[in-house]
Amino acid sequence: MSEWKLRVVSLLPAATDSVSALGMTSVLAARTHECDAPGTESVPVCTEPKLGPAAGGSAESAMSQAEVHMAISTLRASAAWQLAFLPPLPPPRVTSPAVSGSDSAAAGGAGAGGAGAGGGAGAGGSDSAPASPRASNPSFDLLLEWFLSPYRVDVSMLKRLRPDVILTQLQEEPEVLSKEDVQNVLSHVLGSRIRIVHLDPPSLVEAINDVRRIGTALGQSQHAESTVKDLMQRIQTVRGMCAGRPRKKVVCIQWLDPIFLAGAWVPDLVRLAGGVGSESSRMVQEGELQDLVRSADAVIFAVCGCDLPTSIATVKREAVQKWQMFRNGAAAAATGGAGGAGGGIATVATAAAHKQLPNLPAMAVVEAAKLFSRPGPSLVESLEVLAEILHPETQRFGHRHRCWSELGAPVVL
């Protein structure tokens, strides 16, 4: 009888980072195209961007922020329309009690027993093979392709892999399709006993707690507690270094057109780094943003899903085309004048670097793809980045020019 081995599919880069931090990359059967944690280079890829294939750069990279926003909105509307023509969804199959929190045992999954019905890393144990995939309705495959993860999923690959645990962020369409519906379809299509760990943390505390939940799913609860302890120690170190210093007013922007302020765990990071700012993600009009920038000590661009070079190029491109207000607003506030025509935020940043406009707020672009947009262990590094930006006189973590850069400054790749 062959030895049973835990099979885990990670459909989130943050989840893969946690698996790597736990030293468990050997259990990964597949990952997303954006996963880049150490030890995962040879793990098969089972996703691609929803707006285009990953090979040679995603489709999003050639689109403006407004075009990406419109394309995603159109995609969601199309998906909602197609859902109306689905056949009746399969009823929930009889399952063992689901674990607490957001974990669920699809098709009789692991329950509270550990990392999957097969045992292995979890409690109990069994050497029986999972059930074979069903010949499913193509519509159900399509539903999983678009709603099992924030990325487009290769469902045929999942059928071949027959994983025990899936780490993901289930997608839903209000009043049309729930996360529970997606779970039921998954169990129907794969015909396996699968533990789904749904990860959607609204705060820094919950993002760190997700490391524990992933550890439990992999049968590594004690190791997860040790990892969390180390992460919390690093957080407390940064918090202590920033304590007692003047609190900086921060505007953190996660999307440029339409303009969205960063929310979720980012306000927690800003507070810990000695800053104050928006408490939630929300869209703002240019007039309101102009007022926020005028009174800010720092403007930070954490462009959702973009690495540092792409973020810098995107901010400068959007600035030149659409953000004349930064020249007219921020420069006018700094000089007492009415501003004037110019090169937008990039020009203002260059002027500030040469001390021509010394009262302008600090303007920085950060690595979002691997840090600020990824709610896992890397959020601690994001906190260190904010500390360097807000308190450059004392904080030296070595992230400048690698994970963040002033606008106009060189980027070290």
Side-chain angles (χ1 to χ4, degrees):
M1 189 174 294
S2 61
E3 181 181 357
W4 180 87
K5 180 182 178 182
L6 182 69
R7 294 178 298 279
V8 178
V9 169
S10 176
L11 300 180
L12 292 173
T16 304
D17 288 350
S18 293
V19 173
S20 178
L22 295 171
M24 292 290 288
T25 56
S26 62
V27 304
L28 287 173
R31 61 175 175 88
T32 79
H33 60 284
E34 290 191 348
C35 293
D36 51 14
T40 64
E41 297 82 1
S42 62
V43 176
V45 172
C46 66
T47 68
E48 65 178 38
K50 287 185 175 177
L51 296 186
S58 65
E60 293 97 318
S61 62
M63 302 166 69
S64 71
Q65 296 267 285
E67 289 170 338
V68 172
H69 181 78
M70 179 61 69
I72 291 174
S73 298
T74 301
L75 193 65
R76 288 188 64 89
S78 175
W81 182 81
Q82 291 183 55
L83 287 174
F85 296 92
L86 278 177
L89 296 179
R93 297 171 68 185
V94 177
T95 68
S96 59
V99 297
S100 60
S102 298
D103 295 348
S104 66
S126 168
D127 54 11
S128 61
S132 300
R134 292 167 175 254
S136 61
N137 187 305
S139 297
F140 292 159
D141 287 13
L142 186 64
L143 182 149
L144 293 177
E145 181 181 339
W146 292 98
F147 288 91
L148 186 57
S149 164
Y151 307 106
R152 190 174 182 178
V153 177
D154 185 341
V155 178
S156 62
M157 185 174 182
L158 291 186
K159 291 179 179 179
R160 294 194 303 271
L161 293 174
R162 292 151 62 188
D164 305 292
V165 179
I166 293 180
L167 309 174
T168 189
Q169 184 186 103
L170 297 169
Q171 308 296 289
E172 59 184 348
E173 195 64 38
E175 301 182 7
V176 179
L177 185 76
S178 69
K179 293 188 289 288
E180 291 72 22
D181 291 332
V182 179
Q183 293 172 14
N184 292 338
V185 171
L186 178 68
S187 65
H188 178 82
V189 169
L190 295 191
S192 300
R193 299 164 65 88
I194 302 170
R195 179 172 186 167
I196 299 173
V197 184
H198 171 68
L199 305 165
D200 189 14
S203 65
L204 175 61
V205 169
E206 289 303 316
I208 298 299
N209 190 50
D210 279 350
V211 178
R212 289 191 177 97
R213 296 179 53 235
I214 291 171
T216 298
L218 272 55
Q220 296 290 318
S221 296
Q222 284 189 325
H223 194 176
E225 286 298 330
S226 176
T227 301
V228 167
K229 182 178 179 180
D230 291 342
L231 293 173
M232 294 303 296
Q233 182 58 53
R234 289 175 62 190
I235 290 173
Q236 291 304 319
T237 296
V238 177
R239 185 178 186 180
M241 295 175 73
C242 297
R245 300 186 179 280
R247 300 193 71 79
K248 305 291 184 69
K249 292 182 180 180
V250 178
V251 176
C252 191
I253 299 166
Q254 72 173 22
W255 201 255
L256 305 178
D257 192 358
I259 304 164
F260 275 90
L261 301 182
W265 48 85
V266 173
D268 298 334
L269 296 174
V270 170
R271 283 194 300 272
L272 288 169
V276 292
S278 175
E279 291 299 310
S280 62
S281 176
R282 61 188 181 92
M283 186 170 69
V284 298
Q285 300 300 317
E286 292 189 356
E288 180 184 358
L289 183 61
Q290 188 172 358
D291 292 337
L292 291 173
V293 169
R294 282 175 175 158
S295 62
D297 297 301
V299 178
I300 297 171
F301 296 90
V303 185
C304 186
C306 293
D307 61 20
L308 184 57
T310 302
S311 295
I312 291 174
T314 299
V315 170
K316 289 183 176 180
R317 180 181 69 241
E318 300 287 333
V320 170
Q321 293 178 352
K322 303 179 180 69
W323 282 32
Q324 196 68 33
M325 62 177 183
F326 276 93
R327 181 66 176 172
N328 297 333
T335 62
I345 191 170
T347 301
V348 173
T350 302
H354 288 85
K355 299 184 179 180
Q356 297 171 13
L357 301 172
N359 295 324
L360 281 174
M363 293 187 178
V365 183
V366 300
E367 165 72 51
K370 296 181 181 180
L371 299 183
F372 286 77
S373 298
R374 191 178 290 191
S378 64
L379 286 186
V380 177
E381 197 170 353
S382 304
L383 175 60
E384 294 170 350
V385 166
L386 285 175
E388 283 189 338
I389 295 172
L390 299 182
H391 305 288
E393 69 281 3
T394 59
Q395 318 306 327
R396 292 291 184 268
F397 294 100
H399 300 314
R400 184 168 177 257
H401 299 328
R402 182 176 63 86
C403 298
W404 72 277
S405 182
E406 304 92 339
L407 284 170
V411 178
V412 178
L413 301 179

